[in-house]
Amino acid sequence: MPFRLPMLRLHLLLVLYFALILNWPVLLHLITILEGLEHVKVGFIISIPLLLIAALNLVFLPFSLRFVQKPFFVMMLLTGSLASYGMLKYGVVFDADMVRNVVETSPAEAESYLSLSSFGWFLITGILPALLVLLTRIEYPRWWKGSSQRLGAMAVSLLLLGAIAGLYYQDYASVGRNNKVLTHQLVPSSYVHAGWRIFRDRYLRTPEPYREIGTDARQVGSAHGDKPTLLFLVVGETARAQNYALNGYGRDTNPFTRTEKVISFAKVQSCGTATAVSVPCMFSNLTRAGYDDEKAHNQDGVLDVLARAGVSVLWKENDGGCKGVCDRVPTITMSPKEYPTLCRDDVCLDEVLLQGLDREIESMHGNRLVAFHLMGSHGPTYFKRYPDELRAFTPDCPRSDIENCSQEALVNTYDNTIRYTDWLLSQMIERLKGLESKYRVGLIYLSDHGESLGEKGLYLHGTPYALAPQEQTHVPMLMWLSPELSRSKGIDEGCLSQAASEGEYSQDNLFHSLLGVMDVATSAYQPRLDMFKPCRAS
């Protein structure tokens, strides 16, 4: 038998539920903030949940109408439950970039977040309350009485908000000014507002006309030598520079490339904290300061410019999508069904990218660039990113609810992913060495963004850039150049090694460095952003 509740009473119950249950991560964060303050007014502390209740009451009242109330709150309860779990367990912050990342996540990636604890939370805080709302028979008063009830509830909320502002405005202003992340944690306003921005930009605005860049691009110099250039560009996933032995990390996560004399760039900043931003940004000429998602998706990237100049480009995908950067160049997406020994649960180990590689390179022409998009260290199921025989650090964490693993096991698992990527890069370098009789060869590796492993209560990535810790923005970049490639390009490797250890770089450098090392002349090229330029003979 369904429950019976008057419209306003159900509305107030839902307001209380959102304020005190689904916004529990925000309240916990506020408690942590207040504990760090020297002087806190008792009245200010008491006013916080009252403020949240009054604000949610105002926001939700327009949706308490017949035929609107049930579907609206069912949707908010289900999405709010998922959002609160992400914030409570991983410290996720729902700004526009994070929501964009969620929208663009592949089913296989989404499955990696499933665990007993996530399902339990969703069942108890999302599904069950939503079912109760669906089973409730809501008693709606006559329209004039319902309108007066809503106006009365709005008046009470406005009076309460006014009283709180009058008494504690300075306290709220101080806390808000120093903790801007709070606005991205409120359920459901944070992800609803971010989702609206994405929907508006994609579907309600007139799309920018597609813009071609580097229409004058041409190959010059050594591009016309007797032996073509073959460059491997490896785009890493979720690797942070702090866990690279080559950058001073205390355990040997780079035993394989260390013997290959790779050059490690110690100070490299990402363009974003999520793949959906970093990958389009690093392949564009917009730079992080001027990056705009719509612009990046409506203009050429560096792969397009290289192809226009006559460089043969191939993209090999193992991370669920290239975020638009490979849309106009030949692309091979690794299929789990084709490589059952290297794939499980619709996800492949990155060594699958080596399959068919020699044949693919042979089918290309002239100077060649092969880009590999790795699964890398994609979490939270880090344990699925490396094979058993390359599990070096134990005990590891063979589960997706990583917050329930010990810190030692979590770091061991993550470091195993870094070590496996290092092994893969060494295999690629050996493959290039075997092709030196045909090509001048080299490799560049650059991760898209980093990862939090519990530092400051944060896990995974996607924190708004202005608030993100270094663990999410400091990324590794490695280079290996054959002696013949260095000679043909006039690159002084000693100079490059010194620049790598002393200089500061970012993903802004990739666009122009690729044009430079592939000897492509174009008005789109900016020498000051070419990492190779200072170390090349003029």
Side-chain angles (χ1 to χ4, degrees), residues 277-384:
V277 174
S278 286
V279 170
C281 183
M282 73 166 79
F283 281 88
S284 79
N285 68 340
L286 296 175
T287 75
R288 192 188 77 79
Y291 179 75
D292 178 88
D293 184 65
E294 186 179 5
K295 284 184 178 180
H297 284 86
N298 282 283
Q299 69 173 38
D300 286 339
V302 67
L303 299 184
D304 302 295
V305 179
L306 289 169
R308 182 174 294 117
V311 176
S312 189
V313 177
L314 173 66
W315 181 280
K316 297 197 74 173
E317 177 62 50
N318 191 43
D319 192 28
C322 67
K323 310 305 178 185
V325 303
C326 67
D327 287 356
R328 294 163 296 278
V329 300
T331 301
I332 298 173
T333 299
M334 309 315 296
S335 171
K337 293 181 180 179
E338 294 181 22
Y339 307 101
T341 59
L342 295 174
C343 309
R344 59 179 178 179
D345 301 329
D346 291 327
V347 177
C348 298
L349 293 170
D350 282 326
E351 60 194 275
V352 74
L353 292 163
L354 300 176
Q355 301 299 307
L357 184 57
D358 290 341
R359 180 182 69 256
E360 291 153 2
I361 292 171
E362 189 67 29
S363 68
M364 300 167 76
H365 58 273
N367 290 320
R368 298 156 166 86
L369 183 143
V370 182
F372 305 87
H373 194 191
L374 305 186
M375 179 62 74
S377 303
H378 198 297
T381 49
Y382 305 117
F383 69 97
K384 293 183 178 181

Side-chain angles (χ1 to χ4, degrees), residues 156-273:
V156 171
S157 287
L158 289 170
L159 287 172
L160 183 56
L161 290 171
I164 292 172
L167 292 170
Y168 306 111
Y169 174 79
Q170 292 298 332
D171 301 272
Y172 279 101
S174 176
V175 170
R177 188 166 49 246
N178 296 317
N179 301 276
K180 295 181 180 179
V181 69
L182 289 170
T183 60
H184 297 297
Q185 293 181 310
L186 293 171
V187 175
S189 62
S190 57
Y191 62 85
V192 169
H193 178 258
W196 161 249
R197 285 180 55 194
I198 294 172
F199 179 83
R200 177 199 64 193
D201 293 344
R202 289 191 178 183
Y203 302 109
L204 300 183
R205 285 184 175 176
T206 303
E208 289 192 12
Y210 190 86
R211 179 170 170 242
E212 291 187 338
I213 290 176
T215 54
D216 58 344
R218 68 190 192 284
Q219 296 180 74
V220 297
S222 62
H224 303 294
D226 59 340
K227 190 184 289 187
T229 296
L230 170 61
L231 182 68
F232 283 0
L233 172 63
V234 186
V235 181
E237 170 66 55
T238 321
R240 65 187 208 178
Q242 291 90 337
N243 289 57
Y244 267 62
L246 293 171
N247 292 332
Y249 187 49
R251 67 196 322 182
D252 196 5
T253 51
N254 303 113
F256 304 103
T257 58
R258 187 185 301 280
T259 61
E260 300 291 356
K261 297 181 181 179
V262 299
I263 298 173
S264 178
F265 287 70
K267 300 175 184 177
V268 182
Q269 291 295 113
S270 68
C271 185
T273 61

Side-chain angles (χ1 to χ4, degrees), residues 374-450:
L374 305 186
M375 179 62 74
S377 303
H378 198 297
T381 49
Y382 305 117
F383 69 97
K384 293 183 178 181
R385 309 301 173 228
Y386 51 89
D388 292 341
E389 58 269 23
L390 287 175
R391 180 186 288 109
F393 307 114
T394 58
D396 56 1
C397 173
R399 54 196 299 173
S400 60
D401 52 341
I402 55 176
E403 73 281 2
N404 292 319
C405 293
S406 69
Q407 187 64 17
E408 177 193 11
L410 175 58
V411 173
N412 283 342
T413 312
Y414 183 81
D415 284 348
N416 281 332
T417 69
I418 299 296
R419 190 174 182 273
Y420 174 62
T421 295
D422 191 68
W423 173 83
L424 178 66
L425 293 178
S426 73
Q427 296 299 301
M428 289 182 172
I429 291 171
E430 289 303 315
R431 188 69 62 94
L432 287 170
K433 287 180 178 179
L435 295 171
E436 283 188 280
S437 62
K438 296 181 178 180
Y439 310 100
R440 300 184 178 97
V441 294
L443 177 146
I444 299 174
Y445 167 81
L446 176 61
S447 182
D448 59 352
H449 54 77

Side-chain angles (χ1 to χ4, degrees), residues 80-96:
S81 173
L82 294 172
S84 65
Y85 181 83
M87 288 187 287
L88 186 64
K89 294 295 184 178
Y90 302 127
V92 172
V93 177
F94 287 92
D95 65 343

Side-chain angles (χ1 to χ4, degrees), residues 53 73 165 207 286 308 455:
I53 290 169
F73 278 107
L286 296 175
R308 182 174 294 117
E455 300 89 358

